[in-house]
Amino acid sequence: MTTLVVVDGANVVGSVPDGWWRDRRAAAVRLRDRLAVHAERHPDEEVVLVVEGRARGVEPVPGVRIEEAPGEGDDHIVAVAAAATGPCVVVTADRELRRRVEETGARCVGPRTVYP
């Protein structure tokens, strides 16, 4: 069974002090490209990158679906996790989001899982 991996783009990008604040969209593109490599190595996973705010406009690539949050990214991540029909893992370090996601039955892992 395929595992849905939902990545909190803002949180994961923010976990690496690489100048992401200067260009949030470019930082999201770098994350997307790293996730594409992750997806190649884990064909049993469907990777979804949730972006919001100034990170919107990132195009999908093979192995990585992009979801643009219409409002708060956390709310959209919870909705995606709740709608999952199989196993779901959310990648975030946000404690409140972790609590909300775990209430849907999904499990959480930290950003280093996909973005060392």
Side-chain angles (χ1 to χ4, degrees), residues 79-104:
V80 171
T85 57
C88 179
V89 175
V90 174
V91 182
T92 188
D94 181 319
R95 287 187 183 137
E96 176 60 17
L97 178 58
R98 283 176 172 252
R99 183 195 62 75
R100 292 175 63 196
V101 163
E102 288 170 351
E103 288 176 355
T104 73

Side-chain angles (χ1 to χ4, degrees), residues 1-14:
M1 178 173 273
T2 301
T3 298
L4 179 64
V5 177
V6 183
V7 180
D8 179 354
N11 185 267
V12 174
V13 162

Side-chain angles (χ1 to χ4, degrees), residues 52-97:
E52 61 184 300
R54 290 183 285 177
R56 288 187 179 101
V58 175
E59 295 294 321
V61 295
V64 182
R65 186 173 92 214
I66 305 295
E67 291 261 345
E68 291 187 351
E72 287 291 319
D74 290 1
D75 294 341
H76 192 71
I77 291 165
V78 171
V80 171
T85 57
C88 179
V89 175
V90 174
V91 182
T92 188
D94 181 319
R95 287 187 183 137
E96 176 60 17
L97 178 58

